[in-house]
Amino acid sequence: MPAVTMYQYAWDLFTRLQIGGIEFKKKALESLLQLLNDNEKSTPLVAKEGNVGYLISLLEANSQPLIREQAVLAVSVLASSSEDLRKIVFEEGGLGPLLRILETGSIALKEKAAIAVEAITADPENTWAISAYGGVSVLIEACRSGSQPTQTHAVGALRNVASVEDIRMALGEEGAVPVLFQLLISGTSAAQEKAANCISILASSGEYFRALIIQEKGLPRLMHLLQDLSSSDTVEHLLRTISSLSVLDSVSRILSSSTAFIIQLGEFIKHGNLILQQISACLLSKLSISDGNKRAISSCISSLVKLMESPKPVGLQEAAAQALVSLLTVRSNRKELVRDEKSVMRLVQMLDPKNEAVSKKFPLMVVTAVLGGGSGGCRKRLTAAGANKHLQSLAEIEVAGAKKALQRLAGNRLKSIFSRTWRE
């Protein structure tokens, strides 16, 4: 249909919708829904030419049931089509009626209303209005007792609410945390991912929510789910939550002493995506892990060395280096690293002053840790790989840590032009 004709058609549909009787309205809404569903390009035209405010008025409970149902469908399509259209639906007062439908409508209407509410609250500028309509409790109840599609979109809206600091506290006060865990355990994969994301946001926001999560026995639940779930996005959110909880001494002790959890981190470092690798490396570097558990994950050492070469995401190189330094306090792990020719070559290449992809402080930290035990075998392998030349160059330009590493590499018997400088 040509654009001009579509404009006229959309205008005509809304005219019939506003001035016609019940049958006219039904037919106009049927045609409108067909237009919206058949042609994506028609949606902005409908919003521009049509009276969205009048369409929203048909969401009220006093509307004829079939007309109300079709109006909800149309508003849901409009709200979930684009940022501009959900803004129009919000500005025309759509959020309040949609929340009332989510609270009291039929199963089918609740599902469509939940889709629209999730879309509208994707904009933080709109989300604040949720509290004005008492919407937090409505969303929590929809997550608790709604159909699976309703739960999936309602928890998406809760996740959007959690992202807005001014109204986040209402989630705790209205009892969202136990409901989120309920979905995390028994919801659809999409609901699990959104619930995990929401819990992660809450856990990172402060002590209040961390206490609520612990109160719900959240830590053992999260640790168990970490092994059961396969979605990398959901696992990422779970791991972020555990990382946020680890600032608590009691949680840190539990995580540090859990061999199963430590081994899981090692697996993420070896086989996870970059984000999972980064979070896992950060956790490894912060926890007080026993030597036995450090030995149990020695197979991830080469992966950590490789991660040190990656400039993105920001912070990955540092996390990998610090995790390595922690693992290298164990003698057998130091030997494990230097036995791996590729890892040694990577480490030495990172020391090269010409290699600008890696900050020199990270490979210097690792080399110093490798040489920390005074093993002659470690010194020989690093020297054979050319570490001495790069360390001398770094020492000449006074890079922090280079002289110390060079000293250790030489076994504290270095005879060079730098000896006087060190004594001074």
Side-chain angles (χ1 to χ4, degrees):
M1 188 183 295
V4 174
T5 307
M6 201 178 290
Y7 273 114
Q8 293 171 338
Y9 184 52
W11 181 86
D12 180 60
L13 285 178
F14 273 90
T15 301
R16 283 190 281 147
L17 188 61
Q18 293 172 77
I19 65 175
I22 289 178
E23 288 305 315
F24 258 68
K25 290 183 189 296
K26 285 181 183 177
K27 289 181 180 178
L29 279 167
E30 286 172 5
S31 299
L32 178 61
L33 283 167
Q34 186 174 352
L35 181 63
L36 291 172
N37 289 322
D38 289 351
N39 191 336
E40 289 183 6
K41 293 180 180 178
S42 67
T43 310
L45 298 179
V46 168
K48 185 174 181 180
E49 291 300 309
N51 187 337
V52 175
Y54 182 78
L55 187 62
I56 288 168
S57 73
L58 299 177
L59 303 181
E60 297 297 343
N62 57 7
S63 294
Q64 203 273 344
L66 184 56
I67 288 176
R68 188 187 192 207
E69 183 176 338
Q70 290 176 317
V72 173
L73 289 173
V75 170
S76 180
V77 172
L78 286 172
S80 54
S81 293
S82 72
E83 185 177 341
D84 290 340
L85 291 174
R86 64 181 179 238
K87 184 177 182 182
I88 290 172
V89 172
F90 174 74
E91 291 176 347
E92 292 291 345
L95 185 57
L98 287 166
L99 286 167
R100 286 193 288 275
I101 290 168
L102 188 54
E103 187 175 21
T104 61
S106 66
I107 291 175
L109 290 186
K110 284 181 177 181
E111 290 175 1
K112 297 302 179 184
I115 292 171
V117 172
E118 181 182 21
I120 290 170
T121 55
D123 293 333
E125 296 81 6
N126 303 341
T127 310
W128 62 268
I130 283 283
S131 58
Y133 292 110
V136 171
S137 59
V138 174
L139 290 170
I140 292 172
E141 184 55 39
C143 288
R144 182 185 289 115
S145 59
S147 65
Q148 285 190 336
T150 298
Q151 288 178 327
T152 299
H153 294 290
V155 75
L158 282 182
R159 174 197 56 194
N160 296 338
V161 171
S163 299
V164 180
E165 185 178 357
D166 291 345
I167 56 174
R168 183 184 299 141
M169 194 64 70
L171 295 183
E173 294 167 351
E174 297 285 351
V177 173
V179 177
L180 289 169
F181 271 102
Q182 172 193 318
L183 281 180
L184 196 52
I185 293 166
S186 61
T188 63
S189 58
Q192 285 179 323
E193 193 272 329
K194 292 174 184 179
N197 191 358
C198 189
I199 292 171
S200 172
I201 294 168
L202 297 178
S204 67
S205 67
E207 293 180 11
Y208 172 69
F209 283 106
R210 288 195 278 269
L212 288 180
I213 291 168
I214 295 297
Q215 186 179 307
E216 288 299 315
K217 298 179 180 174
L219 182 63
R221 285 176 163 186
L222 292 166
M223 292 170 71
H224 180 73
L225 286 166
L226 206 59
Q227 297 180 338
D228 287 354
L229 298 177
S230 57
S231 164
S232 61
D233 288 337
T234 305
V235 168
E236 177 191 322
H237 297 313
L238 295 180
L239 203 56
R240 284 191 188 280
T241 304
I242 292 173
S243 181
S244 295
L245 295 177
S246 70
V247 301
L248 302 172
D249 289 341
S250 58
V251 172
S252 181
R253 285 194 295 272
I254 292 170
L255 297 177
S256 297
S257 61
S258 171
T259 300
F261 178 70
I262 300 303
I263 288 174
Q264 184 81 63
L265 292 183
E267 290 302 305
F268 288 145
I269 287 171
K270 289 191 291 183
H271 306 298
N273 60 37
L274 284 174
I275 298 298
L276 279 176
Q277 290 174 314
Q278 182 175 19
I279 302 169
S280 299
C282 280
L283 273 165
L284 276 184
S285 67
K286 293 174 184 175
L287 297 177
S288 300
I289 306 169
S290 69
D291 286 356
N293 281 339
K294 288 179 181 179
R295 282 190 284 269
I297 57 170
S298 61
S299 60
C300 76
I301 287 175
S302 60
S303 298
L304 286 169
V305 174
K306 188 176 180 181
L307 289 176
M308 286 175 61
E309 295 177 318
S310 179
K312 291 183 180 180
V314 174
L316 177 58
Q317 292 176 335
E318 181 175 7
Q322 289 179 340
L324 274 170
V325 169
S326 173
L327 295 184
L328 293 173
T329 58
V330 177
R331 183 185 178 194
S332 61
N333 285 353
R334 295 195 292 272
K335 289 187 173 182
E336 176 91 18
L337 191 156
V338 296
R339 274 197 297 263
D340 181 2
E341 189 176 334
K342 285 186 179 179
S343 291
V344 172
M345 290 308 300
R346 281 195 168 102
L347 200 52
V348 171
Q349 286 166 5
M350 283 186 264
L351 288 171
D352 188 343
K354 296 176 183 176
N355 182 351
E356 297 180 354
V358 185
S359 170
K360 297 304 155 220
K361 65 180 178 180
F362 302 135
L364 283 170
M365 284 166 53
V366 175
V367 167
T368 302
V370 169
L371 297 170
S375 165
C378 291
R379 288 201 301 271
K380 286 178 183 177
R381 287 182 179 272
L382 285 169
T383 300
N388 189 71
K389 175 183 68 173
H390 295 322
L391 288 174
Q392 285 185 357
S393 297
L394 293 174
E396 286 174 3
I397 57 176
E398 299 185 347
V399 173
K403 291 177 181 177
K404 180 179 179 181
L406 188 56
Q407 211 169 7
R408 286 190 174 182
L409 187 63
N412 292 322
R413 295 187 301 274
L414 185 65
K415 296 177 182 179
S416 76
I417 59 171
F418 302 112
S419 58
R420 187 174 61 185
T421 306
W422 298 331
R423 285 197 298 273
E424 292 171 356

